[in-house]
Structure formats: structure tokens, C-alpha cells
């Protein structure tokens, strides 16, 4: 079974600064998707960014970008110009392209943003 | 508005009292699933359904039942709840037509079993 590891239970960043959340995964599949979901205090699961394994280019969504290192099985999330609204739990998730629809989630990283 | 709707959002119950958490999606998605979220454990899949009348166990199915009689609905049934089922529950849906692998989540149901 694929496992997703987020080694940082908590992170802190000052407003306007940049922070990187780490994620590693274990898989024998060659084609898959990787995701970062944000869960603010409202508990809603919000998709932040998605990466397809066959695409070499790192995905970017406004202030959010990823560093996808396929050989190292690493998928970190960089948040630039951090805002108070970025404070949330962040989950990294994996899905094999041909292995159904279930996502394998990491245990999450709680991000605190300080003024 | 495209959405996944869960009810109730909050529930406190007692051990052994049967309860059902409903889930409905209006996106005509074939796939639906239930996850539970616990501190330090992330989200774990309970059950999933690939289509009407097709359901299967996820990683943590013990103590739960599901049914998929209609495409839009996928209720989660706790026949005899126990305190270890106190958790935050999410329903999610998807479709192969998207070809993105993305899951669409409901807003979560906080369940406390005393």
C-alpha cells in the first residue's frame, strides 16, 4: 500500500514570509496524482494544488507552488507571501492513476501564521 | 451550485444508539466514499462505492455500513456506535470524466459517542 509521510506536525511562519511544507510518499506505481488539501478551522477540505506524476513541470496556483521530485518521491508545498488566512491544517495526498479513486493521506501539518 | 451535502453536521449520541449520517451529491458522480479524520492519523477511508449497488470496504470499515440505492446518495450507518467511533467524518465524490483524480468533499460531520 502507498504511504504518505508528512514529517512536520506543526509549522509556523510570519505574515508575508515563505514557508515550505514537506511530504514524501512511497509507491511502486509510475503514474499517479499528488495533492495538497487545506483544512481551515471551518473543517472544509479545500484542494490547494494538484500534480500529475508524468508532468515534469511543477504545479503553481498563485502563491502556492510545489517542488515535485519524482525520483526522490518528494512533494513539498511552498506558500509565498503568507497570509493570516493561510493558517490551517494541510494534508498531502496520493492517488494512483489506475487504482480507483481513494486518496492516501498524510497525517497533516498544522500551519500557524503569526502577524 | 455543485456540492456534497452531509447531515447532520454535529451529533452527540450514546453507545449503542443506531444513527445514520446522510450524504448527497448533485454532480452526478459515480464514485462516492466515506472517510474519518482523527488527530494524528489524517483521513482514512471507511467505505466506497463505484456506482449504484456497488460498495466495498476501505481501510477502516469495522462498525460501519453503507448503501448506494441511488446515484446521488450514500448514507453511512452506525448500527451500534461505540466511543472509538467519535470522529470527524467526510463524504466525498468523484467521476472518471474529470480525469483529475480530485475528490470533492462535504463539509464534515462531527460525531461524538458517549
Amino acid at each position: 500500500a502507498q504511504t504518505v509521510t508528512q514529517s512536520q506536525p506543526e509549522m509556523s511562519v510570519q505574515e508575508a514570509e515563505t514557508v515550505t511544507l514537506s511530504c514524501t510518499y512511497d509507491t511502486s506505481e509510475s503514474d499517479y496524482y499528488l495533492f495538497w488539501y487545506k483544512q481551515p478551522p471551518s473543517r472544509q477540505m479545500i484542494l490547494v494544488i494538484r500534480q500529475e506524476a508524468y508532468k515534469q513541470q511543477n504545479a503553481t496556483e498563485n502563491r502556492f507552488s510545489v517542488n515535485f521530485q519524482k525520483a526522490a518521491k518528494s512533494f513539498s508545498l511552498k506558500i509565498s507571501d503568507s497570509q493570516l488566512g493561510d493558517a490551517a491544517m494541510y494534508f498531502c495526498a496520493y492517488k494512483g492513476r489506475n487504482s480507483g479513486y481513494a486518496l492516501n493521506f498524510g497525517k497533516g501539518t498544522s500551519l500557524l501564521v503569526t502577524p | 451550485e455543485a456540492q456534497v451535502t452531509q447531515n447532520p453536521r454535529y451529533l452527540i449520541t450514546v453507545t449503542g444508539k443506531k444513527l445514520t449520517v446522510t450524504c448527497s451529491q448533485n454532480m452526478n458522480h459515480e464514485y462516492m466514499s466515506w472517510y474519518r479524520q482523527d488527530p494524528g492519523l489524517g483521513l482514512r477511508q471507511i467505505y466506497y462505492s463505484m456506482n449504484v449497488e456497488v460498495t466495498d470496504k476501505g481501510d477502516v470499515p469495522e462498525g460501519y455500513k453503507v448503501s448506494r440505492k441511488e446515484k446521488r446518495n450514500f448514507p453511512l450507518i452506525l448500527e451500534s456506535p461505540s466511543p472509538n467511533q467519535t470522529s470527524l467524518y467526510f463524504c466525498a465524490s468523484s467521476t472518471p470524466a474529470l480525469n483529475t483524480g480530485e475528490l470533492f468533499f462535504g463539509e464534515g460531520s462531527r460525531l461524538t459517542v458517549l
Side-chain angles (χ1 to χ4, degrees):
Chain A
Q2 293 79 15
T3 56
V4 178
T5 302
Q6 294 179 248
S7 58
Q8 307 151 317
E10 294 179 349
M11 291 283 286
S12 181
V13 62
Q14 276 195 311
E15 225 176 339
E17 297 296 308
T18 295
V19 65
T20 298
L21 308 184
S22 301
C23 173
T24 59
Y25 57 95
D26 182 29
T27 184
S28 58
E29 296 175 300
S30 60
D31 199 7
Y32 47 87
Y33 301 100
L34 295 162
F35 306 87
W36 279 98
Y37 277 88
K38 171 185 177 181
Q39 187 181 48
S42 66
R43 304 191 321 235
Q44 181 74 33
M45 292 289 286
I46 302 166
L47 179 64
V48 175
I49 201 163
R50 182 178 67 92
Q51 176 81 40
E52 296 181 55
Y54 71 88
K55 290 185 177 178
Q56 303 230 343
Q57 187 173 4
N58 289 325
T60 298
E61 290 287 343
N62 300 314
R63 297 182 296 107
F64 297 86
S65 61
V66 297
N67 183 4
F68 173 47
Q69 301 288 330
K70 191 173 184 179
K73 295 180 183 175
S74 171
F75 183 61
S76 60
L77 175 69
K78 185 171 84 170
I79 306 174
S80 304
D81 185 26
S82 296
Q83 301 174 359
L84 294 177
D86 294 334
M89 182 72 81
Y90 287 82
F91 291 99
C92 179
Y94 168 99
K95 189 192 101 60
R97 182 181 286 274
N98 297 313
S99 57
Y101 294 88
L103 296 184
N104 289 309
F105 285 89
K107 294 181 180 181
T109 296
S110 179
L111 178 65
L112 175 67
V113 181
T114 57
Chain B
E1 179 188 357
Q3 59 186 2
V4 179
T5 303
Q6 298 178 222
N7 281 295
R9 297 287 312 282
Y10 301 89
L11 180 62
I12 301 174
T13 190
V14 295
T15 299
K17 186 176 181 181
K18 180 180 178 180
L19 67 93
T20 299
V21 186
T22 64
C23 174
S24 181
Q25 50 92 7
N26 62 2
M27 296 171 279
N28 200 36
H29 284 173
E30 292 83 358
Y31 175 85
M32 298 184 74
S33 63
W34 279 100
Y35 287 80
R36 62 176 288 174
Q37 181 184 350
D38 302 291
L41 295 178
L43 282 79
R44 295 175 293 168
Q45 190 181 55
I46 303 170
Y47 267 96
Y48 65 95
S49 169
M50 298 296 286
N51 215 320
V52 175
E53 301 292 359
V54 181
T55 63
D56 208 346
K57 297 177 180 179
D59 297 321
V60 288
E62 294 77 20
Y64 304 95
K65 286 176 56 177
V66 293
S67 67
R68 187 92 182 271
K69 294 184 171 61
E70 304 165 288
K71 194 172 186 179
R72 64 183 293 127
N73 296 323
F74 190 47
L76 179 69
I77 303 158
L78 286 73
E79 293 272 3
S80 182
S82 61
N84 64 13
Q85 293 178 298
T86 292
S87 188
L88 176 60
Y89 291 87
F90 284 98
C91 181
S93 72
S94 189
T95 175
L98 285 174
N99 199 29
T100 62
E102 181 182 353
L103 283 182
F104 295 82
F105 286 88
E107 293 182 306
S109 297
R110 169 73 69 187
L111 171 64
T112 301
V113 183
L114 302 175

